[in-house]
Amino acid sequence: MENPENLNIYKASRTIKRSENTLYNALRSIYEDSIFVGEIAQLWPELPLLANLRCGLWYSLKFHSSCYFKSTDGHTNNWSFNTSRLNLHVALLAGQKGGCMIVDSTRKGKRFPDSMSKTIPIWTCVLNRAIRNYRTRFGLNGSAEKNESNDSTECRNTINEDSYSWDCSLHLPLWVSNTERALIEERLDGWTKDLEVSGADVASIALSLKKPLRPLWISQKTVIWLNEVPDCDSWDFTPIILVSTSSPSSNFQQRTTSEFSWRYIAGAGDDEESWARGLSPTLFWKHAYDLINSGPDTCNKTVADIVEKDRVYRAQRGENAPQISIKPSKSSASSGHFPDQEQLGLEPLCMNIDEKIYDKNSISWLGETNLAVGTTQLAKDASGVDCVLSCDLETNSFCFKESGANLNLSIVSSKFDRSSLLRNLPSAVNFAKNNLRKGKKLLVCCNSGEDISICVCLAILMSLFDDKGHFDEGRFFNETRINKLELRRRLVFICQFAVNARPSRGNVKQVFSYLCGGNVAITS
């Protein structure tokens, strides 16, 4: 404990925050906020519930699917429509179900995170504009045809009328200033063009959506009259209902039950690697009753026991189960509070696929390329695969009749090594070329199946396939100057099949650096 005389205001505030930000407080806050999420979900039970990764995944026992809208894409003066995070499956699902609900939270004392205030509204507006353009082109092209029936002409006229009335305006919450709105609107046409040239399947979304997308905002401050809840079909738009779980009154609120006293933490599910101690959302909900009733004094030990039992269980099944070690700081060694900087063994983000995503139970084949991507866990039992390229830290063995059908490359995230992927890409591409030229089906896998394996597939597609998706051993690559637009187009292609792909910026940069570094050797 520091001498009070040497404790300045900054250090004092950090000490207070550390004492309040305990593991039990976080889990109890998540549990309380999840009750609110359940209540809102019951108002529109026909709409699927989606978690905005990663924070939103903590706030419900079961989600229909997940999405990935980053708050940084909505930060002031940093607005972006990112073609590597198109979330097209969300638009398709909303079209099929008549809308959807997205769950997220924030720790910053606001009612809504920037992902909900600006990132998703920008996304809906850009998609609506691209859909309108597609529908308009479809109607104009059709009107030029001759010798068609009157019914076809009437259909085309309806399409044109719908296109002109298709709502493409930017819908932002009231707390976003007019100045910020104007600056965002200036960029919308450019973002729409970026989407249209990215190769995204706008046609499928246009056919799926009967009404334009529009965001709605619901928080714990929202007043809803239960006898006047509107039916989704009554709206003239497809609702994207944004549910923020955070209570904005205060970051920390003292609460008391008959058994325990605890402090509410707004957005407690955020930044899980700093507090969760290896606990995942799935493990939490599997043991929620025991954890909530364990109380503040024994919560840390209960979590440690749950995490270790799950690790042993996965290890016995041959799954990737790294030891998670937590190095306590001096100030928290005996208090039960988690420290400022916790050292987690390996990469805490890399949980099993079954623990993170509820709708991913198979590998994703990338069109007709003979390339597939998935998790290491799923790769061990995958059918129809002739060879495997594993990008895990741990060496994995796969049973194949032919020797040389398996390659293990120890690649870590760019957060830990900025050139790990770059160093291994030549071996990865060479292995892929040698197998794909024989007509073999190749599976690229990593622990999460969302980042490193996606980037390796991106490098393979760019290096060994032409712009039509045909394997050519690198001829197109050697004759073409690679640019970021083509890189984005190939990444969009991958994301059409691997909808939960989340390649990190650092890893994508390493792929681009590799592609700009030289030619791919072509052997006859």
Side-chain angles (χ1 to χ4, degrees):
M1 187 70 179
E2 293 192 46
N3 188 333
E5 295 179 357
N6 300 327
L7 197 64
N8 59 32
I9 293 177
Y10 172 77
K11 291 182 178 179
S13 64
R14 296 281 292 179
T15 301
I16 294 171
K17 181 178 179 181
R18 199 161 49 232
S19 67
E20 294 174 334
N21 199 23
T22 67
L23 180 58
Y24 183 79
N25 285 347
L27 296 178
R28 186 62 186 256
S29 301
I30 289 170
Y31 182 79
E32 295 293 324
D33 286 341
S34 72
I35 297 174
F36 166 72
V37 173
E39 291 173 348
I40 298 301
Q42 287 301 312
L43 297 180
W44 295 281
E46 70 277 12
L47 298 185
L49 191 67
L50 280 69
N52 193 32
L53 298 176
R54 290 174 295 140
C55 181
L57 202 58
W58 286 91
Y59 290 94
S60 181
L61 174 62
K62 187 175 182 180
F63 286 98
H64 183 280
S65 184
S66 64
C67 54
Y68 189 41
F69 293 98
K70 290 193 70 173
S71 286
T72 52
D73 291 338
H75 287 177
T76 302
N77 296 323
N78 191 47
W79 312 286
S80 174
F81 179 84
N82 199 312
T83 53
S84 66
R85 294 185 288 271
L86 286 177
N87 292 288
L88 297 184
H89 65 290
V90 178
L92 288 171
L93 185 62
Q96 294 166 2
K97 303 294 185 178
C100 67
M101 289 183 278
I102 299 176
V103 176
D104 202 353
S105 68
T106 179
R107 278 193 173 191
K108 297 184 178 180
K110 300 182 293 187
R111 289 178 64 187
F112 293 87
D114 284 340
S115 61
M116 291 183 165
S117 295
K118 284 166 280 187
T119 304
I120 295 178
I122 289 172
W123 174 80
T124 58
C125 182
V126 171
L127 282 186
N128 284 335
R129 291 184 175 215
I131 292 170
R132 180 199 57 188
N133 293 345
Y134 173 84
R135 291 161 65 93
T136 301
R137 285 195 301 269
F138 180 85
L140 291 176
N141 290 339
S143 62
E145 300 293 335
K146 297 180 180 180
N147 301 324
E148 291 189 20
S149 64
N150 292 333
D151 291 341
S152 298
T153 302
E154 183 179 349
C155 179
R156 288 195 305 275
N157 291 337
T158 301
I159 291 173
N160 278 322
E161 291 174 4
D162 290 344
S163 298
Y164 292 126
S165 62
W166 193 266
D167 183 11
C168 294
S169 56
L170 177 64
H171 294 278
L172 293 171
L174 296 176
W175 54 86
V176 176
S177 67
N178 291 332
T179 301
E180 190 168 5
R181 172 190 291 272
L183 292 172
I184 293 174
E185 287 177 335
E186 291 176 359
R187 295 163 168 80
L188 289 174
D189 287 339
W191 290 332
T192 303
K193 291 179 181 177
D194 290 343
L195 173 61
E196 292 174 335
V197 301
S198 69
D201 188 6
V202 178
S204 295
I205 302 173
L207 293 174
S208 174
L209 285 170
K210 303 299 185 294
K211 295 178 285 188
L213 298 167
R214 181 170 176 176
L216 299 174
W217 296 268
I218 294 180
S219 72
Q220 296 197 35
K221 289 285 188 178
T222 304
V223 177
I224 300 177
W225 300 102
L226 297 180
N227 60 337
E228 297 181 3
V229 176
D231 187 79
C232 291
D233 293 336
S234 65
W235 288 321
D236 59 355
F237 54 85
T238 302
I240 305 295
I241 301 177
L242 308 178
V243 183
S244 176
T245 68
S246 306
S247 178
S249 300
S250 174
N251 283 345
F252 297 97
Q253 303 170 7
Q254 187 70 35
R255 299 189 181 183
T256 304
T257 65
S258 58
E259 297 176 298
F260 309 115
S261 178
W262 56 283
R263 282 188 174 270
Y264 171 80
I265 303 173
D270 194 18
D271 194 25
E272 64 189 46
E273 56 269 278
S274 68
W275 61 266
R277 295 176 175 260
L279 191 70
S280 67
T282 299
L283 278 179
F284 168 64
W285 285 107
K286 190 182 294 184
H287 303 278
Y289 179 83
D290 294 334
L291 288 169
I292 297 304
N293 288 280
S294 65
D297 296 334
T298 61
C299 181
N300 286 12
K301 184 179 184 303
T302 304
V303 168
D305 292 342
I306 290 171
V307 170
E308 178 60 18
K309 287 179 181 178
D310 178 70
R311 188 193 70 81
V312 171
Y313 171 74
R314 289 188 283 116
Q316 290 173 344
R317 296 178 61 190
E319 300 174 14
N320 185 38
Q323 181 78 43
I324 296 178
S325 59
I326 300 176
K327 182 179 179 181
S329 64
K330 293 180 180 178
S331 62
S332 63
S334 60
S335 65
H337 306 148
F338 39 81
D340 265 343
Q341 299 292 333
E342 294 191 352
Q343 304 298 321
L344 298 184
L346 300 182
E347 194 170 352
L349 300 186
C350 294
M351 298 184 295
N352 281 339
I353 196 70
D354 290 339
E355 293 180 5
K356 292 189 69 177
I357 305 299
Y358 299 96
D359 60 348
K360 281 177 62 178
N361 53 14
S362 63
I363 61 177
S364 301
W365 289 97
L366 307 182
E368 299 178 355
T369 62
N370 279 351
L371 267 177
V373 64
T375 65
T376 307
Q377 176 189 344
L378 296 176
K380 293 179 179 179
D381 299 318
S383 60
V385 173
D386 300 316
C387 46
V388 173
L389 171 55
S390 174
C391 306
D392 269 344
L393 282 173
E394 296 184 357
T395 301
N396 297 283
S397 58
F398 302 92
C399 297
F400 293 107
K401 295 180 180 180
E402 286 190 39
S403 60
N406 178 32
L407 176 64
N408 283 284
L409 297 175
S410 296
I411 305 175
V412 298
S413 168
S414 58
K415 290 182 179 180
F416 299 95
D417 187 339
R418 294 184 178 180
S419 59
S420 176
L421 178 61
L422 181 61
R423 289 194 305 269
N424 285 279
L425 280 179
S427 299
V429 172
N430 187 58
F431 177 79
K433 182 179 65 174
N434 291 336
N435 285 278
L436 292 173
R437 67 190 304 196
K438 300 175 185 177
K440 293 185 177 181
K441 295 183 178 181
L442 170 64
L443 169 61
V444 181
C445 62
C446 66
N447 194 32
S448 70
E450 300 174 351
D451 184 4
I452 294 175
S453 56
I454 296 293
C455 290
V456 171
C457 282
L458 177 60
I460 293 171
L461 283 175
M462 292 290 295
S463 302
L464 304 176
F465 290 77
D466 64 18
D467 58 342
K468 304 298 182 183
H470 301 137
F471 177 71
D472 68 353
E473 299 192 25
R475 293 181 180 84
F476 178 82
F477 174 75
N478 290 336
E479 298 169 359
T480 307
R481 183 178 179 181
I482 298 302
N483 55 51
K484 292 184 178 180
L485 175 60
E486 185 60 27
L487 190 75
R488 285 196 294 267
R489 286 176 57 87
R490 302 292 178 104
L491 187 54
V492 168
F493 171 79
I494 293 174
C495 292
Q496 289 178 359
F497 303 97
V499 297
N500 289 289
R502 295 194 296 146
S504 65
R505 185 182 183 91
N507 285 336
V508 173
K509 280 186 175 181
Q510 291 181 68
V511 173
F512 188 70
S513 296
Y514 163 75
L515 296 172
C516 294
N519 294 343
V520 177
I522 302 176
T523 56
S524 57

